Amino acid sequence: DGGITQSPKYLFRKEGQNVTLSCEQNLNHDAMYWYRQDPGQGLRLIYYSQIVNDFQKGDIAEGYSVSREKKESFPLTVTSAQKNPTAFYLCASKSTDYTEAFFGQGTRLTVV
Amino acid sequence: AQKVTQAQTEISVVEKEDVTLDCVYETRDTTYYLFWYKQPPSGELVFLIRRNSFDEQNEISGRYSWNFQKSTSSFNFTITASQVVDSAVYFCALNSYSSASKIIFGSGTRLSIRP
C-alpha cells in the first residue's frame, strides 16, 4: 500500500543523547515535512524539503537536523541541543504546491 | 503574513446534535488553498477536504459540510447529526502562493461527542 511510514512509534531517549526518527514515503511525493505537536497544541513546522538534497528551516528548527539524500526518505535527528524534546512528531509529504499533505502515524518521543 | 485561527479550543455536544467548527484565515495572496484534517486518538492526521480560493461553492459529503466565505475569510466545518466516532481534534490549514510549500495549521479544535 502507498503511504508514509514513521518509525519507531514510541521512542525513549536519555538526556544528552541524539536520536533519529525515520520517515519513508512511497507516494513519489517531492515535498516532505516534519511537525512537532505538544499536548493540547497545534502543529509546529520543524523542517521541510521540496527536493532531494535541499531543505529549509521551519518555525522551530533549533536543536533539530534533517537530511534528504533520497526522495523517499526524510529522517529527523533530535539533538542534545533540543532542550525539551518530549513531544509527538509527525512526518508528512505532498506532491506539488497547493495539494493536500498526507501524514504518517507519528512518533512519540519521551526523554527519560 | 499567513495565519489560521481556530478560536474554539474545545467543543462538547451530545450525540445527534449538529456542530460547527470555525476557521478564520489571513493571507494577502489571491491564490491559496484551505484544508481540514481530522486527528483521531491514534494520532495520524486524516485529510478531509481541500478548497481553492477561486471556488466558493459550499461542499457536502455525507454528514459533513463546509462553508467557504471569502468576504469574512472563513472556512467553517459543520457536522450534522454528530456521532461518537466524530470525536477527534480537527485542524484547519492554509497553503498560499507566498508561503510556497509551507502549510500553516491552526491550533485545532478538540471535539467531544457524548453518547
Side-chain angles (χ1 to χ4, degrees):
Chain A
D1 285 351
I4 301 175
T5 302
Q6 288 187 243
S7 62
K9 191 171 182 179
Y10 298 96
L11 186 58
F12 296 89
R13 188 194 94 171
K14 292 183 179 179
E15 286 194 25
Q17 283 183 337
N18 293 355
V19 289
T20 298
L21 283 59
S22 171
C23 178
E24 302 278 334
Q25 55 100 357
N26 60 4
L27 300 168
N28 199 34
H29 285 170
D30 292 312
M32 296 188 74
Y33 305 79
W34 275 105
Y35 289 90
R36 169 178 172 147
Q37 185 177 26
D38 293 285
Q41 304 294 314
L43 303 178
R44 292 187 289 170
L45 182 63
I46 305 173
Y47 270 98
Y48 65 105
S49 168
Q50 295 174 267
I51 57 172
V52 175
N53 293 322
D54 187 48
F55 48 83
Q56 289 78 40
K57 292 182 179 180
D59 301 317
I60 56 165
E62 185 175 351
Y64 300 97
S65 66
V66 294
S67 63
R68 187 84 187 276
E69 297 177 0
K70 298 186 299 181
K71 188 175 185 179
E72 302 79 19
S73 179
F74 192 41
L76 173 73
T77 296
V78 184
T79 74
S80 56
Q82 170 50 235
K83 295 180 180 179
N84 186 19
T86 295
F88 187 55
Y89 292 86
L90 283 160
C91 178
S93 72
K94 71 185 187 82
S95 59
T96 61
D97 289 339
Y98 310 132
T99 58
E100 59 272 18
F102 292 88
F103 284 79
Q105 292 188 317
T107 293
R108 195 167 299 279
L109 173 64
T110 303
V111 173
V112 297
Chain B
Q2 328 290 321
K3 187 178 180 181
V4 176
T5 301
Q6 294 181 255
Q8 304 153 307
T9 304
E10 294 191 35
I11 300 175
S12 180
V13 300
V14 176
E15 198 171 21
K16 298 184 183 178
E17 287 187 9
D18 299 347
V19 58
T20 295
L21 309 181
D22 297 333
C23 173
V24 175
Y25 62 93
E26 294 178 29
T27 179
R28 292 184 179 179
D29 295 327
T30 56
T31 300
Y32 55 89
Y33 277 76
L34 296 162
F35 308 87
W36 274 96
Y37 286 86
K38 174 182 180 181
Q39 186 179 38
S42 61
E44 180 180 355
L45 265 73
V46 177
F47 165 73
L48 296 177
I49 190 172
R50 175 184 64 179
R51 173 66 70 211
N52 75 61
S53 53
F54 301 106
D55 182 3
E56 286 194 73
Q57 276 193 331
N58 291 333
E59 181 153 342
I60 298 174
S61 176
R63 296 185 295 106
Y64 295 173
S65 62
W66 291 269
N67 180 257
F68 176 31
Q69 291 194 339
K70 289 177 73 172
S71 61
T72 56
S73 297
S74 65
F75 185 43
N76 296 337
F77 174 29
T78 296
I79 301 175
T80 304
S82 60
Q83 300 177 3
V84 173
V85 294
D86 296 326
S87 296
V89 180
Y90 290 86
F91 290 96
C92 181
L94 167 69
N95 186 197
S96 63
Y97 179 79
S98 62
S99 67
S101 289
K102 289 179 70 172
I103 307 170
I104 298 162
F105 283 84
S107 56
T109 297
R110 181 175 298 277
L111 177 63
S112 298
I113 310 298
R114 309 189 304 274

